[in-house]
Amino acid sequence: MDLELNFEISRTAEFILSRGFSRVALQFPDDLLKHSTKVVTCLRNKLGSGNKVGLFVMADTTFGSCCVDEVGASHINADCVIHYGHTCLSPTSTLPAFCVFGKASISVSRCIEKLSSYVGTNGKPIVVLYGLEYAHAISQIKGALVEAMPNAEVELIFSDVMCSIINPLEDHGKSDGLVGCLAAATGTRYSLGGLTWDLPEGRRMENYLLLWIGPENSAFSNVVLTFNGSEIVRYDATEDRLVTDVSQQKRILKRRYYLVERAKDANMVGILVGTLGVAGYLHMIHQMKELIMLAGKKAYTLVMGRPNPAKLANFPECDVFIYVSCAQTALLDSKEFLAPVITPFEAMLAFSSGSQWTGTYVMEFRDLINSSQLEVRKRPEEARFSFLKGGYVEDFEPQENEGEDNDRALALANATEKALQLRDRGPDSLVKGIAKSGAEFFVTRSYHGLETHANSSMPEPYLIGRSGKASGYEDERSEPETL
């Protein structure tokens, strides 16, 4: 591997020197960590011995490896972060970053052969998207594909990489105008996953054939979900094959719709903090708290790094979790989790009154900040029908000063007394939640932990345990073997 070429040593050194950084954090994903020492050596030689620039390798990330780890960089008081490998290009909060995408291997001739044969028989206008690791070869692919096109009248649009330098977003409450598709869909500019492209006036993505060059990863899943109304074809450069059937990926939409219906019946909601560096994450957390509270539900904010089934199992009182993270780590396969994990966009669908899923899907939570919010789902005069429970459900009333009772013991007793019981699940029965706070849930549990005898102040005598090996403890008398 040519380190100078693949890791862009010269451009990285120019970025560091031009901005006068003295402490630089180098963020490597797990698959590139083996090259970190060689990269540091090459970068040190390029910077020169006279420059006292401190280079620090970050071997692990706090959350997803695609995001700039500002938390880890702050531990060494870094001035900037050099991010290597796959990235979501999400704006940072405090530190500038320089992204090195890498240069994945791809045969331009084989790619053109596969694409031109399919494009020639389709006839639709084309938008070409790709993984950022193939950005180095896109100019060659573009020129060769235009020459190989049998029909020169077919419209061909190639997306561009927005930038490789990420600067902190000054106003975290606003989107930068090039992120996501919610704001861009009203005009002619679209953007997703660090790519941006323009369509002619009056044209939409549903009118185009979408060609994706890259593997089947989280970036491709975002493309499928966001542009689920478009025909999508994927070229896998590693296996050198053209995949025209993406129905398996589109089935994710059905799963997500099911999770939205489950979230509507939730009483307690956990907000999972999936990033501490993406600009605007605090605004989204506050917005989710307000949405949950006005919907008459209880919200708990949890920070635990990368969520897994074992971690979330410690919070059985939560009926659903909202994962606030970057777009490429937002979709968690929660089949193994005790409670479903949804995105902020799905939470707005679940907890907003009169909302219906039209098929449009928003991955970037920053596109939801300060957007035209739907009316919050308040307690209706009549119960609503739950498709999952098979009956009518009456939601809780929002309580403005809940949790501010002076007498905590009395507040807990009152909450327990108000706990609603589950009635007969007939077709016309009314179903209500059993608990609407963590305290109520704890009271209704059959197991509360180890019992403590608070009335007895006398210490118990200690006992000496058994000693020896498990095959024969010292206090065990060995029996003679019988023949």
Side-chain angles (χ1 to χ4, degrees), residues 262-263 265-270 315-321 338-340 435:
R262 284 194 61 180
D265 296 334
N267 294 325
M268 285 172 282
V269 183
F315 307 95
E317 61 270 25
C318 293
D319 302 312
V320 66
F321 295 95
L338 296 180

Side-chain angles (χ1 to χ4, degrees), residues 1-10 12-13 16 26-28 32-47 55 57 82-84 100:
M1 176 185 291
D2 188 349
L3 294 178
E4 171 69 31
L5 182 65
N6 284 274
F7 290 92
E8 301 184 21
I9 302 298
S10 298
T12 304
I16 296 173
L26 308 180
Q27 180 179 340
F28 290 87
L32 295 180
L33 191 59
K34 58 186 177 182
H35 303 295
S36 60
T37 55
K38 296 180 180 179
V39 171
V40 170
T41 302
C42 293
L43 189 57
R44 175 68 63 193
N45 295 334
K46 184 64 67 174
L47 291 173
L55 302 178
V57 175
I82 308 299
H83 184 283
Y84 295 95
V100 179

Side-chain angles (χ1 to χ4, degrees), residues 81-234:
V81 177
I82 308 299
H83 184 283
Y84 295 95
H86 177 69
T87 177
C88 56
L89 286 178
S90 298
T92 55
S93 298
T94 57
L95 294 178
F98 181 81
C99 297
V100 179
F101 307 135
K103 294 176 172 54
S105 177
I106 183 173
S107 174
V108 176
S109 59
R110 295 293 299 168
C111 176
I112 296 303
E113 180 181 348
K114 297 287 186 181
L115 295 181
S116 60
S117 60
Y118 183 84
V119 169
T121 58
N122 188 278
K124 280 187 176 182
I126 304 164
V127 172
V128 180
L129 306 180
Y130 45 88
L132 296 177
E133 63 272 21
Y134 295 104
H136 66 97
I138 292 302
S139 59
Q140 302 178 37
I141 294 176
K142 181 178 181 180
L145 186 59
V146 171
E147 294 180 359
M149 289 283 288
N151 186 0
E153 297 180 356
V154 175
E155 182 182 357
L156 185 62
I157 299 175
F158 274 78
S159 57
D160 299 318
V161 179
M162 287 193 295
C163 62
S164 59
I165 299 176
I166 302 176
N167 293 311
L169 198 60
E170 295 181 359
D171 188 355
H172 297 169
K174 295 183 180 180
S175 175
D176 57 5
L178 287 177
V179 180
C181 296
L182 187 65
T186 58
T188 59
R189 173 154 293 188
Y190 287 79
S191 61
L192 185 70
L195 302 175
T196 180
W197 63 99
D198 296 329
L199 299 185
E201 190 68 29
R203 303 296 293 272
R204 300 184 64 85
M205 285 297 298
E206 290 79 6
N207 308 127
Y208 286 80
L209 168 67
L210 201 155
L211 292 180
W212 170 263
I213 301 176
E216 185 180 342
N217 54 12
S218 58
F220 177 65
S221 298
N222 291 355
V223 170
V224 174
L225 289 178
T226 305
F227 304 115
N228 55 78
S230 303
E231 181 182 357
I232 302 176
V233 177
R234 180 176 69 91

Side-chain angles (χ1 to χ4, degrees), residues 250-297:
K250 290 190 175 182
R251 289 178 185 173
I252 300 177
L253 277 176
K254 298 181 180 179
R255 169 70 179 173
R256 307 310 300 185
Y257 180 76
Y258 164 75
L259 296 182
V260 170
E261 291 298 319
R262 284 194 61 180
K264 291 179 181 179
D265 296 334
N267 294 325
M268 285 172 282
V269 183
I271 302 176
L272 299 178
V273 182
T275 177
L276 295 176
V278 177
Y281 79 96
L282 280 178
H283 291 267
M284 178 49 56
I285 292 174
H286 294 319
Q287 186 171 330
M288 289 292 103
K289 283 184 178 180
E290 182 180 2
L291 178 71
I292 295 168
M293 181 191 67
L294 293 178
K297 305 177 187 299

Side-chain angles (χ1 to χ4, degrees), residues 44-66:
R44 175 68 63 193
N45 295 334
K46 184 64 67 174
L47 291 173
S49 57
N51 292 289
K52 303 297 183 181
V53 179
L55 302 178
F56 304 87
V57 175
M58 293 193 294
D60 193 12
T61 55
T62 308
F63 296 99
S65 59
C66 62

